[in-house]
Amino acid sequence: GALDIGVLDYTSVIRAHARGIPFVYLTPGILTSTATPGFAIIVPADSPIRDAPDFTNKTIATNGIGNIGQLATDVWIDRNGGNWQSVKWVEIPLATTLDGLQQKRFDASPLAEPWLTVAREQGFRLIFPSKNPIAPYLGNGWITTTDWLRRNTDTARKFVAAMREISRWANTHPAAAASLLAKFTKQDPAVVEKGKRYFFADTFTPAYVQAIVDAAARYKFINAGFP
């Protein structure tokens, strides 16, 4: 109850839903597709890893075990010739990920902006999993609890309308959106300006969510799928 609304990736919420935790999505966030991938897998410049088969028996770091980055990476490795079950996953805070890679404490990490730009400028190599078979899918979105939604229906409607409007605006005004992003997240404007622009979904497409649910069940993130 300390927060009313938060942003969270879909795999984490799917796992919560499967365990009976009453979260509900209000509005979608980033839409990942082969044209606009939502993340890249970071490896050191001298790493022998080039493609999915090279991740067999490797250690990969993520900022949250069981999140969308892990699921999308597992699926990509599996569908492109690697052994996803041989991968060891470790949980590392985002702020220490690049140092951990540099120190060879793990082999790779799936990251999003602004870490992609920072990694590139520090000499790391980025692997974009463009042949991901669950794309397009929704990467994250804004959630609340069913109880808060029941008690604040009018506020929720206003929030959804505002997020729909800003998503459409950001997709068509990337330079202006970058300036606001740097201001409100207190990031370096130069880093934001160089960064990759994401595409924001303004409405839910059930098939994009179903793809993640099905993959979560297939790759044992949840015990069974659901519609």
Side-chain angles (χ1 to χ4, degrees):
L3 298 173
D4 296 322
I5 296 172
V7 64
L8 197 60
D9 74 276
Y10 280 78
T11 306
S12 297
V13 175
I14 286 167
R15 294 172 66 223
H17 177 79
R19 290 162 173 78
I21 300 174
F23 288 149
V24 61
Y25 272 107
L26 290 171
T27 180
I30 293 170
L31 176 65
T32 289
S33 68
T34 53
T36 57
F39 71 99
I41 303 170
I42 310 300
V43 297
D46 60 353
S47 172
I49 298 174
R50 296 283 173 178
D51 209 344
D54 302 327
F55 284 93
T56 300
N57 294 319
K58 295 298 189 292
T59 299
I60 306 179
T62 177
N63 67 312
I65 294 295
N67 65 13
I68 189 67
Q70 180 181 351
L71 178 63
T73 301
D74 279 345
V75 174
W76 176 70
I77 291 172
D78 182 39
R79 300 296 180 85
N80 291 278
N83 182 356
W84 72 277
Q85 292 175 307
S86 74
V87 173
K88 178 184 178 182
W89 285 89
V90 296
E91 190 168 285
I92 300 292
L94 280 172
T96 64
T97 299
L98 296 182
D99 286 343
L101 280 170
Q102 197 72 55
Q103 296 162 10
K104 311 290 184 174
R105 291 194 283 121
F106 39 86
D107 301 295
S109 179
L111 294 173
E113 292 290 5
W115 304 103
L116 299 187
T117 299
V118 174
R120 186 186 291 111
E121 293 195 336
Q122 290 186 11
F124 291 92
R125 186 156 39 84
L126 280 59
I127 301 172
F128 285 96
S130 58
K131 295 180 286 185
N132 196 317
I134 62 173
Y137 62 87
L138 293 167
N140 62 12
W142 295 90
I143 70 165
T144 187
T145 62
T146 54
D147 181 60
W148 185 91
L149 182 59
R150 177 182 55 80
R151 292 184 288 104
N152 298 275
T153 305
D154 289 342
T155 301
R157 286 198 180 102
K158 292 175 182 177
F159 179 82
V160 169
M163 292 303 293
R164 180 178 295 121
E165 181 179 353
I166 195 64
S167 294
R168 292 173 177 172
W169 177 84
N171 288 336
T172 55
H173 298 79
S179 176
L180 287 177
L181 178 63
K183 174 183 176 181
F184 288 114
T185 60
K186 296 180 173 55
Q187 295 182 55
D188 182 350
V191 172
V192 176
E193 186 62 35
K194 295 175 185 176
K196 177 182 176 58
R197 297 290 183 272
Y198 294 118
F199 182 84
F200 297 98
D202 57 13
T203 57
F204 280 108
T205 301
Y208 294 167
V209 181
Q210 191 67 58
I212 310 172
V213 174
D214 295 345
R218 187 180 310 119
Y219 289 84
K220 310 303 182 186
F221 282 56
I222 55 177
N223 292 330
F226 51 84

